[in-house]
Amino acid sequence: MVLIAAPMASSGGGGITLLLPLILIVGMIWFMSRTQRKQRQKQADTVAALAPGTKVITTSGVVGIVEEVDDEYVTLEISDGVLVQFVKAAIGRVIPEETEDEAVEEPVDEATDETAVEPAVAKDTVDVPVTGADKVQDKAKLPPTHTEN
């Protein structure tokens, strides 16, 4: 009996099928790093543009007005006379100030000389059945202390 070694049939694109997932992974990593680089650059531009009088929000959520900018720190006034120092990297974003042109004046009702209030219009409301959960109870309901058998 003679055994003959015959090559097995291949699927045709062996090299490309192994290379395609690798190319996709490298592309995703490049895209994510590019996005992070843009965010870091935007943050650096924001910090570089800080000047006294600018209103900012820190990454921890503190809102304040820039009083002084040093090489490493920013001094914020978070309340009248309350100054706090933050690291420049802690500045999250700058709050744009409204100018007089952008400020929208509310219409004034001439008859009563007060600000006119437009009625609220409900859109896409859902009817919810009244359950009585909003009623005030005289006593708090406590769980039973014993069970009757």
Side-chain angles (χ1 to χ4, degrees):
M1 176 168 188
V2 178
L3 294 175
I4 300 173
M8 296 183 60
S10 66
S11 61
I16 241 356
T17 58
L18 294 176
L19 194 59
L20 187 62
L22 181 64
I23 291 172
L24 289 175
I25 290 172
V26 169
M28 287 176 29
I29 291 172
W30 177 80
F31 181 74
M32 289 187 306
S33 68
R34 182 174 170 245
T35 304
Q36 290 176 350
R37 193 174 329 128
K38 282 184 177 183
Q39 289 174 348
R40 280 194 307 267
Q41 183 62 41
K42 182 179 176 185
Q43 174 68 17
D45 293 343
T46 299
V47 170
L50 289 178
T54 306
K55 193 170 185 180
V56 296
I57 298 178
T58 64
T59 54
S60 60
V62 177
V63 178
I65 299 173
V66 176
E67 290 293 317
E68 183 180 348
V69 181
D70 294 335
D71 291 337
E72 295 180 34
Y73 299 101
V74 175
T75 304
L76 298 181
E77 182 178 18
I78 58 173
S79 184
D80 292 332
V82 180
L83 299 175
V84 181
Q85 274 193 330
F86 285 92
V87 178
K88 278 187 172 181
I91 303 301
R93 62 185 174 105
V94 174
I95 299 174
E97 294 185 23
E98 285 187 15
T99 61
E100 293 179 12
D101 296 337
E102 294 175 358
V104 178
E105 295 183 18
E106 298 179 16
V108 176
D109 189 8
E110 294 176 6
T112 59
D113 197 30
E114 293 181 5
T115 305
V117 178
E118 296 181 18
V121 178
K123 295 181 180 179
D124 300 330
T125 59
V126 177
D127 293 332
V128 178
V130 178
T131 59
D134 56 345
K135 294 181 183 178
V136 178
Q137 297 178 355
D138 293 335
K139 292 183 180 179
K141 292 185 178 179
L142 299 175
T145 55
H146 67 281
T147 57
E148 297 179 17
N149 290 334

